[in-house]
Amino acid sequence: MEQQAIPSADAASLRRPPVLQRLIRRDKMPLLVLLLAALVGLLAGLVCGLFESCVHWLAQQRVDLLADRPWWQLGLLGFGFSALLGLVGYFLTHAFAPEAGGSGIPEIEGAMDDLRPVRWWRVLPVKFFGGVCTLSSGMVLGREGPSVQIGGNLGKMVADIFRLPKEHGHALLAAGAAGGLAAAFNAPLAGILFVMEEMRPQFRYSFLAIKAVGISAVMATLMLQNMEGQSPVIMLPHYDAPALKALWLFLFMGGCFGVLGFVFNKLVLACQDGYLALHQNKRHRFVIIGMVVAGTFGMLSLFAPSVTGGGIELIPHLTGGDYAMATLFIIFSVRLVGTLICFCSGAPGGVFAPTLALGTLFGVIFGHLFHSAFPDLGIEPGAFAIAGMGALFAATVRAPITGIVLVTEMTDNYQLILPMMITTIGATLVAQWLGGRPIYSQILERTLRLAARQNRGESSIATG
């Protein structure tokens, strides 16, 4: 009986080892997504590093330009120069990409839930150049929220360029957000946890998405460290772990932070509504109000720099005992009001860093009070300042694990993890007991309500 010949293709497949056959038949999409996540992380680290450098450079140029002038010239020119920067930032935002206003983190959360569009071709230039102008003007704003939005938009840009399916596009969006936060704080683990904890209602959990987020955060941190070095963002002394009998003080302080975080979130939403009533979303009013705010804080930054700016540079001076108790109260009060005025105005800037500075101020005030009331415990006020830094973040954002890891990576004080855990958990529980909700979720809900109202108004005009 004549044997049937085997086709050449089948014969070749029989000669291949089983492992090679599995590799050939395996879906290449997961590998592509991970490679693109690495690319997104590199881009996020590069762009966010350039963003930070531009903010510092322009702010320094503003100060150098006004140096060695009489006080009245310093005030007038300081107001005018910062107002001009505010004009650019507010106009770009309102005219080309309103979603670039504010922190940008709620916009990324809305995009991950398919509730907000991601117009990266508009948001990226507006957030970059507008944010550079407003942050360098001296306003009480942070670069961390913008970095998250920039990173997320870079992830969406890469997903669109490579025409990825919707599911993988969401993974790159989340990966870009993690890379942006990691690059802003030089904190890769905090970037990963922020997406998985704070954005947990929107993040679409899968093993591939988690790996993409981790790869992006690592690559963004490597890019940033290659540009700026490996040192922590905040250079602080290494404090000893407090005695066990002193830990109840951290729990008490955490409860007070929970009240502060609850009130702060309420004030943010109220101030945003107040600004909306003032400018009524009309461009000329929006820009003029923004110019006045930017000019005022620009002038104030020349005479009292401790109450302006993001506040990260202020933290080492607060923990070093450079200020008396009364001065700390004044700085805290002015910075609290300044944070509300600047952030709620709709400027392209975040509330992340100002919140950390407020937490540090509140914590160091508690530290001085406890140090005077319980001198036998031997607790340094700086330990309370570091614990407070993460506590206010946890009370407002409601992401305690991220707050603990973020502060630990930023300050390199790993021995204070236990008191930080006690403080942040106390702050979170009290804020939740009072009925508080995460600030970014509340801002997103407000944005969606305003967008729906605007759409109803436009449709009624069209039908009328």
Side-chain angles (χ1 to χ4, degrees):
M1 186 175 181
E2 186 176 350
Q3 187 174 6
Q4 185 178 1
I6 300 176
S8 59
D10 294 341
S13 64
L14 289 176
R15 289 195 297 268
R16 294 181 184 135
V19 176
L20 184 58
Q21 291 185 33
R22 288 196 297 268
L23 288 175
I24 292 174
R25 294 173 183 172
R26 182 175 296 174
D27 183 14
K28 304 299 190 304
M29 183 59 74
L31 178 60
L32 176 62
V33 172
L34 297 181
L35 291 176
L36 293 179
L39 174 62
V40 169
L42 290 173
L43 290 175
L46 176 63
V47 176
C48 293
L50 291 175
F51 181 73
E52 179 182 356
S53 299
C54 289
V55 169
H56 286 308
W57 179 83
L58 189 54
Q60 190 60 46
Q61 294 301 310
R62 179 176 65 87
V63 173
D64 293 342
L65 182 66
L66 302 174
D68 301 327
R69 294 179 183 271
W71 66 269
W72 59 274
Q73 288 186 11
L74 195 64
L76 290 175
L77 294 176
F79 182 93
F81 194 77
S82 291
L84 180 62
L85 292 173
L87 167 65
V88 176
Y90 283 92
F91 177 79
L92 288 176
T93 301
H94 198 280
F96 299 103
E99 64 267 37
S103 168
I105 294 177
E107 291 290 333
I108 296 299
E109 293 183 351
M112 293 172 64
D113 234 355
D114 294 327
L115 298 174
R116 296 292 292 167
V118 182
R119 303 186 298 174
W120 52 264
W121 57 93
R122 287 174 174 261
V123 171
L124 285 175
V126 170
K127 196 73 173 186
F128 188 95
F129 294 106
V132 166
C133 289
T134 52
L135 266 68
S136 61
S137 68
M139 297 175 67
V140 187
L141 296 169
R143 67 179 186 276
E144 296 75 21
S147 296
V148 173
Q149 189 175 20
I150 288 173
N153 277 262
L154 288 170
K156 178 62 173 175
M157 179 189 74
V158 172
D160 288 347
I161 290 174
F162 286 87
R163 299 181 180 180
L164 295 185
K166 192 174 185 179
E167 176 187 358
H168 300 319
H170 278 284
L172 287 190
L173 182 67
L181 185 65
F185 285 119
N186 194 12
L189 187 54
I192 298 170
L193 290 175
F194 180 77
V195 170
M196 298 178 63
E197 182 184 27
E198 205 285 328
M199 297 182 176
R200 63 190 180 278
Q202 299 84 22
F203 181 58
R204 304 185 180 185
Y205 284 88
S206 68
F207 193 42
L208 178 63
I210 293 173
K211 287 189 290 185
V213 166
I215 290 173
S216 176
V218 170
M219 298 306 292
T221 307
L222 290 175
M223 174 60 76
L224 180 77
Q225 291 185 357
N226 186 60
M227 296 171 64
E228 300 184 2
Q230 295 179 291
S231 59
V233 174
I234 305 175
M235 300 298 295
L236 295 177
H238 288 176
Y239 296 99
D240 295 329
L244 293 177
K245 60 182 179 181
L247 292 180
W248 70 271
L249 295 174
F250 289 90
L251 182 61
F252 175 78
M253 185 178 74
C256 296
F257 267 102
V259 177
L260 176 62
F262 173 77
V263 174
F264 180 80
N265 287 2
K266 294 290 186 182
L267 290 175
V268 166
L269 297 174
C271 287
Q272 286 184 331
D273 291 338
Y275 267 109
L276 182 60
L278 282 176
H279 59 67
Q280 299 176 354
N281 205 27
K282 296 180 179 178
R283 184 170 302 163
H284 66 282
R285 290 188 182 183
F286 181 80
V287 174
I288 290 174
I289 292 173
M291 290 176 62
V292 173
V293 172
T296 301
F297 280 88
M299 178 176 60
L300 189 61
S301 69
L302 301 173
F303 298 100
S306 59
V307 298
T308 60
I312 295 296
E313 296 81 4
L314 177 66
I315 291 177
H317 301 285
L318 297 175
T319 58
D322 296 352
Y323 299 97
M325 179 67 76
T327 306
L328 290 173
F329 272 111
I330 294 173
I331 295 175
F332 174 80
S333 302
V334 176
R335 287 196 67 90
L336 177 61
V337 175
T339 300
L340 295 172
I341 292 174
C342 294
F343 175 68
C344 299
S345 67
V351 73
F352 221 125
T355 301
L356 294 177
L358 287 174
T360 306
L361 276 162
F362 205 53
V364 79
I365 290 172
F366 269 98
H368 284 297
L369 292 175
F370 291 152
H371 186 72
S372 301
F374 307 99
D376 296 338
L377 295 179
I379 305 175
E380 299 184 67
F384 287 93
I386 293 175
M389 195 188 309
L392 186 56
F393 172 83
T396 55
V397 181
R398 298 285 289 279
I401 299 177
T402 303
I404 295 167
V405 174
L406 175 64
V407 174
T408 302
E409 288 187 294
M410 288 177 63
T411 64
D412 199 29
N413 269 275
Y414 291 88
Q415 63 277 9
L416 294 180
I417 286 182
L418 182 59
M420 277 194 287
M421 291 176 65
I422 294 173
T423 308
T424 53
I425 290 173
T428 305
L429 291 177
V430 170
Q432 185 175 359
W433 177 73
L434 291 173
R437 297 175 54 225
I439 183 62
Y440 294 131
S441 299
Q442 296 183 74
I443 294 175
L444 174 60
E445 290 178 2
R446 179 180 180 274
T447 301
L448 295 174
R449 286 197 306 269
L450 294 176
R453 187 187 309 170
Q454 183 179 1
N455 291 334
R456 286 195 300 267
E458 291 176 354
S459 61
S460 63
I461 293 174
T463 55

